[in-house]
Amino acid sequence: MRVLLTTMGSRGDVEPVVALAVALRGLGAEVLVCAPPDEDFVALLGRVGVPLVPLGPTVRSVVAGSKPPTADDAFRLAAELVAARFEVLTAAAEGCDALVATGLMPAGARDVAEKLGIRYVYACLQIFGLPSRHFRPGARPGKQSPQDETDNRVLWEQDAQRVNALYGAALNRHRAAIGLPPVDNVRDYVFTDRPWLAADPILCPSEGLTDLELVRTGAWILRDDRPLPDGLAAFLDAGAPPVYVGFGSIASYLPKDIARVAIEAVRAQGHRVLLARGWAELDLIDDAADCFAVGEVNQQALFGRVAAVVHHGGAGTTTTAARAGAPQVVVPQIADQPYWAGRVAELGIGAGHEGPTPTVDSLSAALTTALAPETRTQAKTVAGMIRTDGAMVAAKLLLSERG
């Protein structure tokens, strides 16, 4: 069987797809991955020997500028990605039996599968983006809902209209060019009636939260066996476990002084600091021996050796920290990150910071909760409940359901 996997987004959107690719290949399938051509992702796929078919612009060029993308940027990118998917996926999917799409609204992927007559699966990495009677939709560019609207059904209908405004014209123009009829609800067409949920059931419970028929596979986790760099290992060995601070691919959204605030807040708790530079290229504020800065490293190996993890609340980082039993402080910035902050607090495995702009005092207060002995005990308990077989569950399901 030959399978095409495609995603668009940050490392948290790409790494799960690579995990599924590895699982599929282990079961004898031939796999291709269409993803953004960022250096990080090229290296990630190269590490496991899975071919990368470049799709669209680099994500870093879109999100790591001096300012967050504007609404106009979002509309331009949406049309560009639709065109790229029709072109790139059509060529890459030749001879494939199935196409699995995830990440940023993959408008264009199902259309290619429809034209080629192959199976299509939409997978989401959290429940946050699926229509629900129980919570409001997240923010999207476009005409916003009235402030006084409280009916979630109405709000999700308006969300569908925003998706249509972003993707509809470009999608239907490309569909017409290959002889397909127009789609009147892009979001629901992309999602299908039976989307897969690639998230851990403890961290992301879904029962009754959407009317869609979810297929729950568990999180798609890529095993990482890389050793920690010598300098980092030496820093860890030189004292008590530090507090890790890192915000991944979040760059232009971060407060400008986030590194200073975080370092001072961690020091106020009497802990050393391990600062991940990330796409924001954060740096140390002085040359004191209690701080160390790192680039991209094996978080699976690292998080078991830290006192706590301060991060932005990406699905991947949240899951990795939870698996390691590391208490967390989530400082959410955009998208699904407030959801993960709430889940960390609800589970008692850390704290969710109120709002995206911490002060030394507010972050220190959140760290007080995360560093409490009872929080670490609960984090260790939850760590034993996290499933690690989600990618294999999904791979077996994909290969067994060929219709």
Side-chain angles (χ1 to χ4, degrees), residues 319-338:
T319 302
T320 302
R323 280 186 65 213
Q328 307 181 46
V329 173
V330 180
V331 185
Q333 302 295 308
I334 58 171
D336 59 329
Q337 295 164 15

Side-chain angles (χ1 to χ4, degrees), residues 293-355:
V294 295
E296 197 276 317
V297 297
N298 180 352
Q299 292 183 341
Q300 293 174 18
L302 175 60
F303 285 178
R305 300 191 61 184
V306 300
V309 176
V310 178
H311 63 100
H312 56 298
T317 308
T318 303
T319 302
T320 302
R323 280 186 65 213
Q328 307 181 46
V329 173
V330 180
V331 185
Q333 302 295 308
I334 58 171
D336 59 329
Q337 295 164 15
Y339 170 82
W340 294 110
R343 284 302 295 154
V344 164
E346 289 165 9
L347 287 166
I349 60 175
H353 186 271
E354 185 67 33

Side-chain angles (χ1 to χ4, degrees), residues 117-276:
I118 63 176
R119 186 178 177 206
Y120 167 81
V121 173
Y122 169 73
C124 51
L125 304 180
Q126 33 77 20
I127 196 74
F128 174 75
L130 299 179
S132 173
R133 291 169 292 173
H134 302 281
F135 53 81
R136 300 166 61 96
R140 294 189 199 275
K143 183 180 179 181
Q144 299 304 299
S145 300
Q147 290 289 334
D148 58 353
E149 181 59 71
T150 59
D151 188 328
N152 285 336
R153 291 170 299 182
V154 173
L155 291 170
W156 280 104
E157 289 171 1
Q158 293 167 348
D159 175 75
Q161 294 167 11
R162 284 189 287 274
V163 175
N164 281 347
L166 278 164
Y167 298 97
L171 186 79
N172 285 323
R173 184 169 61 251
H174 286 281
R175 285 178 63 87
I178 59 175
L180 294 178
V183 169
D184 61 5
N185 187 321
V186 175
R187 185 197 67 196
D188 290 359
Y189 177 79
V190 168
F191 286 176
T192 77
D193 294 329
R194 196 169 180 259
W196 290 13
L197 177 59
D200 185 82
I202 298 297
L203 297 176
C204 185
S206 57
E207 198 66 42
L209 291 181
T210 177
D211 292 333
L212 298 176
E213 182 186 352
L214 284 180
V215 177
R216 303 172 184 86
T217 67
W220 300 347
I221 297 171
L222 179 67
R223 180 174 174 176
D224 194 342
D225 295 319
R226 293 175 298 163
L228 297 176
D230 291 343
L232 172 57
F235 176 75
L236 293 171
D237 291 339
V243 170
Y244 171 96
V245 177
F247 299 95
S249 59
I250 298 296
S252 55
Y253 295 94
L254 287 175
K256 298 302 181 185
D257 62 345
I258 189 67
R260 178 193 62 79
V261 167
I263 290 170
E264 291 184 6
V266 174
R267 283 174 168 169
Q269 293 292 323
H271 280 267
R272 301 189 301 156
V273 184
L274 179 57
L275 181 70

Side-chain angles (χ1 to χ4, degrees), residues 5 15-25 31 100 196 220 391 394-395 398:
L5 310 178
E15 189 164 315
V17 168
V18 180
L20 178 58
V22 171
L24 284 165
R25 191 178 57 184
V31 188
V100 180
W196 290 13
W220 300 347
L398 189 64

Side-chain angles (χ1 to χ4, degrees), residues 75-128:
F75 276 87
R76 283 193 296 270
L77 179 63
E80 181 181 349
L81 291 178
V82 168
R85 290 190 184 104
F86 272 87
E87 178 182 359
V88 175
L89 298 184
T90 298
E94 184 174 353
C96 287
D97 303 287
L99 193 164
V100 180
T102 187
L104 179 67
M105 184 67 63
R110 184 178 181 182
D111 316 82
V112 170
E114 179 184 350
K115 179 64 176 179
L116 297 178
I118 63 176
R119 186 178 177 206
Y120 167 81
V121 173
Y122 169 73
C124 51
L125 304 180
Q126 33 77 20
I127 196 74
F128 174 75

